[in-house]
Amino acid sequence: MVIAGSVLLAGCFDGSGSTPTTEVRVVHASSDAPAVNVLVNGEVVTEGADYKEVDILRPKIGVASIAVDGLLPDGGTARVIEADGVSLKFRTSYDVIAVGKVGDDTIEPLILADTGERDSATSVRLRVAHLSPEAQTAASGPVDVYVTAPGADLSAAEPTVSFSFKESAGPLEVPAGDYQIRVTPAGTDTVVFDSGTVPLPAGADLLVGAVDNTGANSDASPISLIVVNDETVTELYDADQGAGVRVVHASISAPDVDVLVDGQATAFDDLTYGDVAPGTGLNDLASVVAGQRNVQVVDSTNASAVAIDADLELTNGQGYTVIAVDQLSGGVSALVEAESVRSIATQASVRIIHGSTQAGNVDVYVLPGSQTLIGNSDPVLTNVAFESATDYLPVAAGTYNVVVTSAGSGTPLIQQNGVALAAGGVYTVIARDGKTGATSPLDAPGLILFGGTPTL
């Protein structure tokens, strides 16, 4: 299983005095929503919970108001969920799950109550929820879920669960051991998700949610599964989804190159300086089998001239940008950065990578499209070192002018005007060297841009 990340946030809302408290677990399962704040009775109890993250709250029993505010790129918030009059009972726990989408105004809370009763302390207790609008659309209705022994013939099996979007089932109890989880459109044997072999440990109490697949190569399946075990989230992608790889030629002195995977096949041919392969679109990623892969970058005309030879550990469902940077004289290196393809409806998501050997440390300005001079503007990033990369930054949709200056100087080294950033878009901006004697636009230091909005 691939751990999705650290998901128990710091927020906790403990009752004081003698009034008993209950447990409310908040799950962010809206794939196009930004990070959110969670409020109980008007008080912010969780800040910045992102997609597929969980927070556990312990409010007093009784009637409560639970709200969710989306974080906007200008620093403000927008109320996306408001659930008033939620009755919280003693000795009952609750899952408040944000489902639906912000982009089409269908986001809402799904509230599940659970007493925690079980028949066996050593069984695996499962509750299953359909949280994926994409799966509902892809299957044109309900889906069947099969939880079987690995390799079991589905034609001879009955579905463990059949349900539609926003429905849930369970609790179910099964013996501990290895299982395979498969999902089909209801009444068919067409598998649209296959977990491969998954170990389920004795005593576990799991909430399993089918969510929109926002990993690399998401055309492999409309869904991934999040497995919520108390305060930990594990994400399962389709077993055959693979890792997604994009390669950028940003080494000014390297010749045209080929990229080899495991020394056998040419993954990309004849990349020249400034090229992005297999393409510049948001979903333009090559599918590579997950695991340890050897990646070589070699001279297109002389395969024995190896510029990069790197072993990379690639995770199923994760995207990677592999950037050839630096000069041949000092040794070309591979800068490897995780790549996101998750579209957020309320913002453009922008990552900036410093790949120019000629620039030294830099400041980065992102100016409104009507402003071409820095003037009194403050940089969005300061003193950025070569080979540094930011996280994906939230930016309001619009047209911008990007200016890169020597750190602290205000003197432009690179300026690219008219950079259009769309809501829902995911973009990478790489500062590159200028190539003396080359034809425009590579004859001066500049930017390599790729990404965009999802392909519908």
Side-chain angles (χ1 to χ4, degrees):
M1 291 186 179
V2 179
I3 298 299
S6 177
V7 293
L8 177 64
L9 307 181
C12 186
F13 189 73
D14 290 316
S16 59
S18 59
T19 304
T21 62
T22 187
E23 181 175 281
V24 176
R25 185 166 54 185
V26 180
V27 183
H28 186 333
S30 175
S31 63
D32 72 341
V36 300
N37 293 339
V38 180
L39 299 84
V40 175
N41 297 330
E43 179 183 347
V44 176
V45 294
T46 295
E47 293 185 287
D50 213 343
Y51 181 49
K52 295 178 288 193
E53 289 189 343
V54 169
D55 197 5
I56 295 179
L57 316 173
R58 292 182 175 83
K60 296 176 181 178
I61 64 171
V63 177
S65 172
I66 298 175
V68 176
D69 287 348
L71 305 185
L72 301 178
D74 63 2
T77 61
R79 182 64 46 91
V80 293
I81 287 177
E82 192 155 23
D84 295 324
V86 178
S87 180
L88 304 177
K89 300 178 181 179
F90 187 48
R91 292 179 179 170
T92 303
S93 61
Y94 300 86
D95 290 293
V96 179
I97 308 171
V99 297
K101 291 195 170 185
V102 170
D104 59 10
D105 294 322
T106 60
I107 188 171
E108 62 180 330
L110 174 64
I111 301 176
L112 307 178
D114 184 29
T115 63
E117 294 179 359
R118 63 189 304 158
D119 296 329
S120 169
T122 60
S123 67
V124 181
R125 186 175 186 267
L126 300 173
R127 290 180 299 133
V128 186
H130 187 331
L131 312 177
S132 171
E134 292 293 340
Q136 182 79 0
T137 300
S140 301
V143 297
D144 294 336
V145 181
Y146 296 83
V147 182
T148 69
D153 182 1
L154 292 191
S155 66
E158 291 293 325
T160 307
V161 173
S162 297
F163 54 14
S164 295
F165 177 49
K166 297 186 289 188
E167 293 182 344
S168 62
L172 314 169
E173 292 188 47
V174 298
D178 289 342
Y179 289 87
Q180 186 174 5
I181 304 171
R182 285 168 282 184
V183 179
T184 72
T188 77
D189 58 1
T190 302
V191 176
V192 297
F193 175 86
D194 184 347
S195 70
T197 300
V198 177
L200 298 180
D205 191 346
L206 308 176
L207 171 66
V208 180
V211 298
D212 291 345
N213 183 358
T214 58
N217 308 322
S218 57
D219 56 351
S221 174
I223 65 169
S224 60
L225 299 183
I226 56 170
V227 182
V228 185
N229 185 7
D230 191 29
E231 59 191 41
T232 301
V233 172
T234 301
E235 183 166 15
L236 302 176
Y237 291 104
D238 186 272
D240 293 327
Q241 185 159 330
V245 176
R246 192 194 311 262
V247 176
V248 181
H249 188 331
S251 174
I252 189 172
S253 58
D256 291 359
V257 298
D258 295 339
V259 180
L260 312 179
V261 176
D262 292 338
Q264 296 179 357
T266 302
F268 307 109
D269 295 327
D270 296 322
L271 301 189
T272 193
Y273 182 62
D275 280 353
V276 180
T280 59
L282 176 60
N283 301 311
D284 289 340
L285 299 169
S287 180
V288 178
V289 176
Q292 187 176 80
R293 306 267 77 88
N294 177 260
V295 175
Q296 291 179 313
V297 177
V298 303
D299 188 326
S300 292
T301 61
N302 179 11
S304 64
V306 179
I308 294 174
D309 189 335
D311 291 325
L312 305 180
E313 190 65 38
L314 304 181
T315 299
N316 195 39
Q318 177 62 58
Y320 301 88
T321 304
V322 181
I323 310 166
V325 294
D326 223 319
Q327 303 273 358
L328 277 176
S329 58
V332 178
S333 58
L335 183 60
V336 182
E337 298 292 337
E339 179 157 336
S340 174
V341 296
R342 183 171 82 90
S343 175
I344 300 175
T346 56
Q347 67 185 53
S349 302
V350 182
R351 170 179 61 171
I352 299 174
I353 299 173
H354 186 346
S356 172
T357 63
Q358 299 167 346
N361 286 15
V362 299
D363 298 335
V364 179
Y365 295 79
V366 180
L367 308 176
S370 59
Q371 179 182 343
T372 58
L373 300 177
I374 292 171
N376 294 323
S377 300
D378 293 324
V380 296
L381 299 169
T382 59
N383 201 31
V384 180
F386 176 58
E387 295 190 350
S388 294
T390 69
D391 293 330
Y392 284 92
L393 308 173
V395 178
T399 300
Y400 295 90
N401 301 325
V402 180
V403 183
V404 180
T405 72
S406 296
S409 75
T411 301
L413 297 171
I414 298 170
Q415 179 154 352
Q416 184 150 337
N417 297 335
V419 178
L421 303 177
V426 185
Y427 305 90
T428 294
V429 178
I430 303 175
R432 59 159 179 80
D433 290 331
K435 192 167 186 177
T436 303
T439 57
S440 181
L442 298 177
D443 57 352
L447 303 177
I448 298 172
L449 303 168
F450 57 88
T453 54
T455 302
L456 300 178

